[in-house]
Amino acid sequence: MRLLVRCASVGLLLLAGVHPAAAALKVVATTEDLATIAQEIGGDKVAVETMARGYQDPHFVEPKPSFILKLHAADLLVLVGRELEIGWLPPLIQQSRNANIQPGARGYMDASLTVKILEIPTGQITRAMGDVHPQGNPHYWLDPDNGKSIAKEIADKLAELRPGDAALFSQRQAAFASRLDDAKKRWLAAMQPYKGVKVVTYHRSFPNFAERFVLDVVGYVEPRPGIPPSPQHTLDLINDMKRQGVKIVLVEPYFDLKTPNAIGRETGAQVLVLPPSVGGEKEVPDYFALFDYDINLLVGALKQIGAPAK
Ligand SMILES: [Zn+2]
């Protein structure tokens, strides 16, 4: 019976002039940032699904049975890598029972291999010490140049999996890169007057963003990446911010605002909820909107503050 139904649907596809092999490639991305880039490159040749939402902490995502179903059906898995997803992804890949997307298989793509990675530890750092960035900073997508590298990797991988559409993927990738170059000029111009402004961030989510747009990140609400604030660290941070005249605290949408707000009250700094990911706020549906939103918010606050603390 099942076979009959299958034959019938194949027949229908053939009648419609669509070969079944040309069905959209099923891509699963661990984050909305990677998903939106994969969609830009793949167009209607891909069907993209996401696991972590942009308003969730990507280090700590609750694994859901639906993730296993998505992975089971996937032709390609795109992940951030650098151990960002190590706390939740590996068992899901295993449970998917999909040979195509196991580490090392053709359908497994670690997006961190050609991008610029910052904060690579020089000494011995392990997760046993509580640090969730033992392989360098995994929040690298917040530099448009890294976005371009990710897009290139995805285009190459899609072409490998679907050689017949290679020219299309390459064309879409070139168009994406060129739009990104234009947008980057606009973003750099908007941030230009505030070059070198000192900020504090909750988690170390913004080093690539800070490097690209020349912000000086002088401290963090977390004592170490992944470790919640402690009273002593918060006190030290407040004193540091007062000494250096820091007037901006950036907080990712998934962190409790209690400590940042207390720091804001003590130092007179503005606390801004700055999404590090697509989907982090409803106004951020894609990769371009992410920079538009974050830079708008920052520039608005910096204008209010007046002369930047440098
Ligand atoms: Zn992190």
Side-chain angles (χ1 to χ4, degrees):
M1 183 59 192
R2 191 177 270 176
L3 190 68
L4 261 176
V5 172
R6 218 171 169 186
C7 288
S9 58
V10 169
L12 281 176
L13 284 168
L14 289 174
L15 277 176
V18 180
H19 193 272
L25 271 172
K26 294 194 176 90
V27 179
V28 175
T30 57
T31 67
E32 294 197 59
D33 309 285
L34 296 177
T36 186
I37 297 175
Q39 190 64 66
E40 292 270 4
I41 304 311
D44 61 5
K45 303 292 181 189
V46 295
V48 182
E49 301 258 22
T50 307
M51 289 194 271
R53 312 311 309 203
Y55 50 78
Q56 295 176 311
D57 183 342
H59 287 286
F60 306 100
V61 175
E62 192 193 338
K64 290 195 268 185
S66 63
F67 292 171
I68 299 172
L69 294 177
K70 286 176 183 181
L71 288 172
H72 179 71
D75 297 307
L76 172 63
L77 166 66
V78 184
L79 62 147
V80 174
R82 298 279 158 169
E83 299 200 356
L84 181 79
E85 303 101 334
I86 202 164
W88 54 277
L89 185 62
L92 295 174
I93 295 177
Q94 212 174 11
Q95 287 161 37
S96 77
R97 298 183 183 277
N98 179 352
N100 298 332
I101 56 145
Q102 300 298 315
R106 259 181 14 137
Y108 178 97
M109 189 195 131
D110 179 334
S112 74
L113 302 182
T114 60
V115 299
K116 181 173 185 186
I117 299 292
L118 301 174
E119 300 177 350
I120 293 176
T122 44
Q124 265 286 34
I125 297 229
T126 68
R127 286 177 75 90
M129 294 160 71
D131 196 316
V132 294
H133 294 171
Q135 292 193 359
N137 193 292
H139 304 274
Y140 56 79
W141 62 87
L142 278 160
D143 175 348
D145 281 8
N146 277 348
K148 266 164 66 174
S149 303
I150 297 167
K152 176 76 169 65
E153 285 294 301
I154 291 177
D156 290 350
K157 180 51 83 175
L158 291 177
E160 183 191 331
L161 296 175
R162 192 58 64 78
D165 292 321
L168 177 77
F169 297 138
S170 161
Q171 195 179 57
R172 293 188 65 98
Q173 179 250 321
F176 177 75
S178 137
R179 276 171 61 211
L180 208 46
D181 280 340
D182 288 345
K184 189 175 87 175
K185 282 182 204 141
R186 192 175 78 235
W187 297 325
L188 284 170
M191 291 297 288
Q192 169 67 26
Y194 310 105
K195 255 184 163 175
V197 69
K198 290 179 175 176
V199 302
V200 157
T201 75
Y202 194 106
H203 180 74
R204 289 179 179 255
S205 301
F206 300 100
N208 295 84
F209 184 88
E211 185 186 71
R212 174 60 54 204
F213 299 108
V214 202
L215 301 175
D216 185 5
V217 184
V218 300
Y220 307 93
V221 178
E222 287 181 333
R224 299 183 71 80
I227 304 295
S230 67
Q232 186 57 54
H233 175 74
T234 300
L235 195 64
D236 292 345
L237 182 65
I238 287 170
N239 289 333
D240 235 34
M241 286 174 66
K242 283 181 177 167
R243 200 165 44 240
Q244 300 198 52
V246 182
K247 292 296 174 207
I248 298 266
V249 181
L250 305 177
V251 184
E252 299 82 345
Y254 32 82
F255 290 118
D256 192 343
L257 282 168
K258 203 176 128 224
T259 305
N261 283 340
I263 294 169
R265 278 194 302 276
E266 284 295 320
T267 59
Q270 281 203 43
V271 177
L272 300 181
V273 176
L274 199 74
S277 276
V278 172
E281 300 285 349
K282 61 180 183 314
E283 299 92 336
V284 183
D286 62 42
Y287 192 65
F288 293 90
L290 176 61
F291 292 98
D292 280 335
Y293 183 94
D294 284 358
I295 287 172
N296 254 328
L297 195 72
L298 262 172
V299 167
L302 289 165
K303 269 183 186 155
Q304 267 184 33
I305 290 163
K310 287 187 186 177

